[in-house]
Amino acid sequence: MTRVARSYFDLPDWAPASAGVVESFKMVDIPNTALPERLARAIALAGPIPVAQYMAAANAHYYATRDPLGAAGDFTTAPEISQMFGELIGLWCADLWDRAGRVDVAWVELGPGRGTLAADAMRAMAKAGLHPDVHLVETSPALRKAQAERVPVATWHDAIDTLPTDRPLIVVANEFFDALPIRQLVKREQWHERLVAAQDLLFLPIAGKPLPDAVIPEPFRDAPAGSILETSPAAVTIVRGLAQRIAAQGGALIAIDYGYEGPALGDSLQAVRGHAFANPFEAPGEHDLTAHVDFTTLAAAAQAGGAVAWGPVTQRDLLGGLGIDSRTSALAKASPDRADALGADRQRLMDDMGTLFKALAITAPSWPNPAAFA
């Protein structure tokens, strides 16, 4: 199964960007103790924590300690389904580079998984004459090792702050923003921050102190009890920061993820383990926590950073506009024994994932329109 949610909600992202890329959570240092015990101990000492801090701690541990991809892992992403996905994204980048005047660029991927997309994109870009320096933003030691096997020429970064400043950036983010921490607000008689409490090793969401109406978007102030409002300050921070860099240096970004065009209400926090859905409040750090991406808010953050936002468009329209049918036919002709498998891969990318997954592009004001978005 791909990393998708059980149901589809449109969710707003209205909160201002936080100072850091990810909200930090300082846990009590208990050596040789598993994450659930450390979280429970910290909550017992300091009180319930926001959902964003719970999610940040859980995902930091999860990604640092394993390769979660593939049949033996917890989920599968589009680049692992078919080489065509990474190749077409590489050609999207090469086309922009060509029409921007073939300037010297740095190619960047955020959250590059095993490096499969990067390797496939590099191969396609090379055929178009583009041989950029490759920069991967990744903090997981386990995934860096896998990436180094596929993209040994890469330079690694812990955050976007250390990316090159002397040339345009072409940035790819596939299923990256969905794993960033989200805040959740819950409506009772009033709106409250949603917190995570712990009793022994049982974690559960609770309502915190009431929030003033001024922090709630006006259309949602009278929402029915039980409504959930989500926001991702971390995602806004990253998009705004990259948009500022792209506006100043030149370049572009493409973000592909499951998501929606907000605003709306709903609870999209989910956990995936062993290609099945799990309770996000059980065994923190042992499964992948994600939430749907609000592309409307990301587009607004890009525009606030001085860049031009395009889309979102569906993954089906993106890949269709980039020529996936022609590429499927060419690969099938070269390897007739793989024709059925290639057709099945195309169906997964275009039909199974085609409308749930969407793509947003941002470009420098001086750069050309991105293919499949105009």
Side-chain angles (χ1 to χ4, degrees), residues 15-24 159-161 183 232-238 240-241 244:
S18 61
V21 168
V22 175
E23 295 180 58
S24 62
I160 64 172
D161 304 358
R183 294 182 66 199
S232 179
V236 171
T237 297
I238 291 175
R240 185 178 295 169
Q244 291 170 344

Side-chain angles (χ1 to χ4, degrees), residues 66-101:
R66 74 206 69 204
D67 177 350
L69 292 157
D74 291 327
F75 57 86
T76 300
T77 58
E80 303 292 333
I81 292 172
S82 172
Q83 69 185 72
M84 294 186 289
F85 185 85
E87 290 172 344
L88 292 174
I89 297 304
L91 292 176
W92 182 90
C93 299
D95 172 71
L96 261 180
W97 163 79
D98 180 64
R99 290 186 289 120

Side-chain angles (χ1 to χ4, degrees), residues 47-346:
I49 61 174
V51 167
Q53 293 180 339
Y54 172 85
M55 186 175 177
N59 274 355
H61 177 84
Y62 175 81
Y63 282 102
T65 55
R66 74 206 69 204
D67 177 350
L69 292 157
D74 291 327
F75 57 86
T76 300
T77 58
E80 303 292 333
I81 292 172
S82 172
Q83 69 185 72
M84 294 186 289
F85 185 85
E87 290 172 344
L88 292 174
I89 297 304
L91 292 176
W92 182 90
C93 299
D95 172 71
L96 261 180
W97 163 79
D98 180 64
R99 290 186 289 120
R102 298 198 162 211
V103 295
D104 183 26
V105 299
W107 191 87
V108 178
E109 187 176 358
L110 309 180
R114 290 174 169 170
T116 303
L117 186 155
D120 291 338
M122 287 175 62
R123 185 173 62 253
M125 289 188 291
K127 290 182 179 179
L130 174 57
H131 303 273
D133 291 340
V134 176
H135 297 262
L136 305 180
V137 179
E138 179 62 71
T139 59
S140 166
L143 289 175
R144 280 193 179 194
K145 181 179 178 181
Q147 293 155 16
E149 294 174 357
R150 294 167 177 79
V151 195
V153 299
T155 299
W156 280 266
H157 303 261
D158 291 329
I160 64 172
D161 304 358
T162 58
L163 293 173
T165 59
D166 60 346
R167 73 198 80 169
L169 304 175
I170 298 181
V171 184
V172 175
N174 180 65
E175 291 200 53
F176 169 76
F177 288 104
D178 65 279
L180 295 181
I182 59 164
R183 294 182 66 199
Q184 287 191 324
L185 308 183
V186 59
K187 179 69 180 296
R188 299 289 188 255
E189 292 184 1
Q190 296 176 260
W191 281 97
H192 304 253
E193 176 96 22
R194 205 177 193 197
L195 307 178
V196 178
Q199 183 175 2
D200 297 325
L201 294 181
L202 176 64
F203 298 90
L204 67 161
I206 65 170
K209 294 181 179 180
L211 298 171
D213 284 348
V215 304
I216 306 299
E218 188 171 354
F220 302 122
R221 291 176 185 172
D222 296 323
S227 298
I228 300 289
L229 188 62
E230 294 183 339
T231 178
S232 179
V236 171
T237 297
I238 291 175
V239 169
R240 185 178 295 169
L242 286 171
Q244 291 170 344
R245 297 280 297 274
I246 287 169
Q249 297 172 219
L253 176 148
I254 185 168
I256 306 161
D257 230 309
Y258 50 88
Y260 60 94
E261 297 179 64
L265 299 170
D267 180 359
S268 74
L269 180 65
Q270 65 173 15
V272 174
R273 185 175 186 181
H275 298 265
F277 292 106
N279 184 340
F281 298 105
E282 289 183 359
E286 295 305 316
H287 40 227
D288 177 45
L289 295 182
T290 65
H292 284 227
V293 175
D294 179 356
F295 284 101
T296 301
T297 294
L298 295 192
Q303 292 167 337
V308 181
W310 304 84
V313 300
T314 64
Q315 180 170 295
R316 175 186 292 169
D317 288 342
L318 173 69
L319 298 181
L322 296 177
I324 191 172
D325 290 337
S326 297
R327 184 57 177 154
T328 304
S329 297
L331 289 173
K333 184 176 180 180
S335 302
D337 57 320
R338 294 182 57 217
D340 289 345
L342 288 163
D345 292 345
R346 179 208 169 276

